Amino acid sequence: MAARTFLNVFLVCLFISIGHSVVVINTWPFVNATAKAWSVLTAGDSCLDAVEEGCTVCEIEQCDGTVGYGGSPDESGETTLDAGIMDGLTHDVGSVGGLRRIKSAISVARAVMKYSKHTLLVGDSATQFAKEMGFMEEDLHTNRSLKIWNDWKKTECQPNFRKNVNPNPSKSCGPYKPEKNRLKNSDNDNITGHDTIGMLAIDSHGNIAGGTSTNGLNHKIPGRVGDSPIAGAGFYADNTVGGAAATGDGDVMMRFLPSYQSVEYMRQGVSPTKAAQMSISRIVKYYPTFNGAVISLNIRGEYGAACHGMKRFPFSVRGKTMPKVEVKYVDCVDKIPGIEDILG
């Protein structure tokens, strides 16, 4: 009987190991975040736990100064946070935008999912919700973020994200008023520094989750929210297909929903790499100087990435056959041969 019980347990474990490709992948070489998520998965916890705890590592470590507290001050010098998380099984989503004075953005986003019927909370109201859920209100400034802001003020507030205003935003810090007589379209300036962590994870039950965390765009206009907390733009997950996450110029990327688009391409049978390329190409068609990248992961554990506006893009991954987290690189291309025939 004992031998039969052991055999049954062994067969169950073998089924889980073979049947589902436990894997975690995230944007950029944020390997500590990947390692944390992997440890959560291998402990038998859920993909949602893995994404939350992995992104939390980046928030604590202030990855590249673009995730977590103490980075990317807005015009007023304040750091605010955006984050989102999605359950590929239920399609439940929790997100926060412009979160103020709370450090654990990804955990607040998950709290929105768990403790409300809403999808997205923003600004001071998101802060109030977080406090009600037990999160501590803290100052998100650091000496580094204050220096970034003061240095920016000394250089006539450049770069600047205003347009069609007086005084000239390329030479002045304002205050601004609308310029109605000389309206112009965006000049698509390629301003870098949008290193959001986007993470995807598949657990031992075959469920997938995706999530993001960022402190947004450096010197943004107060109140600006980018693509990161927007389901379909910054992240997307579907148990029947896979998931995707994005990083880059969020103001542009949210107009094209590249994460959702990548998942839908994979639903049609396209490989993760090709799906990411096609999603990026849709953006480049209209914004040729755009800077960004997409990672894609199908439910079989196959992954890929594509990028534009940089030489190459690094992402971090670990799967069952890897003894440790690996940083992969994908070369960015300006044009994918034959893509016009596919996209129309």
Side-chain angles (χ1 to χ4, degrees):
M1 176 65 89
R4 181 176 294 178
T5 300
F6 172 81
L7 180 60
N8 288 341
V9 172
F10 173 77
L11 289 175
V12 170
C13 292
L14 182 63
F15 172 78
I16 291 174
S17 176
I18 294 175
H20 302 299
S21 299
V22 177
V23 62
V24 59
I25 179 174
N26 57 262
T27 55
W28 306 108
F30 300 151
V31 295
N32 290 342
T34 322
K36 178 60 177 179
W38 178 256
S39 71
V40 173
L41 292 175
T42 54
D45 293 328
S46 75
C47 52
L48 286 166
D49 293 332
V51 169
E52 180 184 358
E53 295 192 35
C55 289
T56 294
V57 167
C58 250
E59 292 174 348
I60 294 171
E61 294 185 353
Q62 302 167 280
C63 289
D64 270 5
T66 59
V67 182
Y69 71 100
S72 302
D74 63 20
E75 285 185 344
S76 66
E78 183 177 10
T79 294
T80 57
L81 307 179
D82 301 337
I85 189 167
M86 182 170 185
D87 184 341
L89 176 63
T90 64
H91 283 212
D92 288 342
V93 173
S95 297
V96 289
L99 180 67
R100 306 179 69 191
R101 304 181 301 280
I102 303 287
K103 286 185 177 180
S104 306
I106 188 67
S107 293
V108 178
R110 192 171 181 192
V112 172
M113 176 195 290
K114 291 170 65 176
Y115 304 119
S116 84
K117 297 181 181 180
H118 299 312
T119 294
L120 172 64
L121 298 179
V122 298
D124 279 326
S125 296
T127 301
Q128 181 60 36
F129 172 83
K131 290 165 61 179
E132 292 170 357
M133 296 301 103
F135 292 89
M136 182 184 302
E137 189 168 8
E138 302 177 77
D139 187 357
L140 301 188
H141 296 94
T142 62
N143 290 336
R144 176 182 178 275
S145 68
L146 290 174
K147 183 179 187 303
I148 291 172
W149 181 61
N150 284 318
D151 289 347
W152 177 74
K153 297 283 283 186
K154 292 175 183 177
T155 57
E156 297 181 324
C157 300
Q158 301 304 308
N160 189 296
F161 298 97
R162 307 276 183 164
K163 69 175 185 179
N164 301 323
V165 294
N166 274 321
N168 187 338
S170 67
K171 299 178 181 179
S172 171
C173 294
Y176 306 103
K177 293 183 178 181
E179 172 56 75
K180 299 180 180 180
N181 297 324
R182 292 187 298 172
L183 297 182
K184 66 174 183 177
N185 293 326
S186 171
D187 54 10
N188 297 333
D189 284 341
N190 185 12
I191 300 173
T192 59
H194 320 275
D195 298 350
T196 300
I197 181 170
M199 179 175 283
L200 306 165
I202 300 175
D203 62 27
S204 60
H205 299 288
N207 296 318
I208 187 170
T212 60
S213 185
T214 184
N215 52 35
L217 184 61
N218 218 357
H219 316 307
K220 58 185 174 283
I221 298 171
R224 180 263 189 188
V225 175
D227 67 318
S228 295
I230 308 301
F235 60 98
Y236 199 74
D238 184 331
N239 260 28
T240 64
V241 182
T247 180
D249 186 345
D251 290 295
V252 169
M253 298 185 86
M254 72 167 69
R255 302 167 192 172
F256 296 86
L257 301 178
S259 294
Y260 174 80
Q261 191 67 64
S262 293
V263 171
E264 290 307 301
Y265 283 136
M266 289 191 291
R267 192 187 304 278
Q268 298 170 16
V270 174
S271 72
T273 296
K274 191 71 171 180
Q277 290 175 340
M278 292 169 70
S279 295
I280 288 289
S281 294
R282 282 186 174 274
I283 303 173
V284 175
K285 178 179 180 180
Y286 294 93
Y287 296 90
T289 62
F290 146 81
N291 178 292
V294 171
I295 57 171
S296 297
L297 173 68
N298 69 24
I299 204 65
R300 297 186 298 275
E302 300 165 337
Y303 56 84
C307 54
H308 184 268
M310 57 192 101
K311 185 175 181 180
R312 61 179 186 165
F313 168 68
F315 60 95
S316 306
V317 62
R318 186 167 182 187
K320 289 188 300 184
T321 62
M322 300 176 181
K324 63 179 182 179
V325 176
E326 296 182 12
V327 177
K328 307 283 189 178
Y329 290 85
V330 59
D331 292 329
C332 301
V333 293
D334 290 332
K335 186 176 181 181
I336 301 171
I339 197 67
E340 291 86 354
D341 296 333
I342 298 174
L343 299 182

